[in-house]
Amino acid sequence: QVQLVESGGGLVQAGGSLRLSCAASGRTFSNYAMGWFRQAPGKEREFVATISKSGDSTYYQDSVKGRFTISRDNAKNTVYLQMNSLKPEDTAVYYCAAAYSPGAVVRGESYYWGQGTQVTVSS
């Protein structure tokens, strides 16, 4: 059983940066691939980024490549999403997720989900 709690969301101007954190409870954090999803008003939840159990590999949605960076610190049971060059279209509620593999994260087949944190980018 794992609980995920996101933090770090807020209001930022276009072109700015924000760093999201996802703190996980439990003793088996390193057994899970982790990822981030987002959901904008009136739209379905979409995949943003994922990272392998060890942190050795990552994968991103095309729209955020070169701007967002996912990372993890297994000693702290925490995964991060560094967001740079933010655009208004990045505005959404961002969710942290844990799954069996990065592929499972991409497919939305996560075992656990956080409560979400709001990111608003103004123009």
Side-chain angles (χ1 to χ4, degrees), residues 10-11 23-24 33 40 49 51 54 59 62 64 83 85 88 101 106 110 114 117 120:
L11 175 64
I51 187 167
S54 66
Y59 182 75
D62 287 345
V64 306
M83 304 183 293
S85 302
S101 68
V106 173
S110 295
T117 185
T120 302

Side-chain angles (χ1 to χ4, degrees), residues 83-106:
M83 304 183 293
N84 299 325
S85 302
L86 283 163
K87 306 174 181 179
E89 50 263 46
D90 294 319
T91 295
V93 176
Y94 283 71
Y95 298 90
C96 178
Y100 174 77
S101 68
V105 171
V106 173

Side-chain angles (χ1 to χ4, degrees), residues 11-29:
L11 175 64
V12 64
Q13 293 190 95
S17 298
L18 211 57
R19 190 193 196 199
L20 305 183
S21 298
C22 174
S25 64
R27 301 178 180 180
T28 58
F29 178 72

Side-chain angles (χ1 to χ4, degrees), residues 42-92:
K43 301 182 68 175
E44 294 186 349
R45 185 178 298 187
E46 66 175 356
F47 166 76
V48 176
T50 188
I51 187 167
S52 62
K53 298 172 182 179
S54 66
D56 289 341
S57 63
T58 58
Y59 182 75
Y60 302 88
Q61 182 199 121
D62 287 345
S63 67
V64 306
K65 287 181 179 177
R67 300 189 298 121
F68 291 10
T69 302
I70 187 171
S71 62
R72 67 190 295 162
D73 186 338
N74 288 349
K76 295 182 178 180
N77 283 9
T78 303
V79 62
Y80 306 94
L81 185 67
Q82 178 66 48
M83 304 183 293
N84 299 325
S85 302
L86 283 163
K87 306 174 181 179
E89 50 263 46
D90 294 319
T91 295

Side-chain angles (χ1 to χ4, degrees), residues 3-6 22 45 94-98 112-117:
Q3 291 185 325
L4 306 174
V5 180
E6 303 95 333
C22 174
R45 185 178 298 187
Y94 283 71
Y95 298 90
C96 178
Y112 307 103
W113 296 86
Q115 85 288 353
T117 185

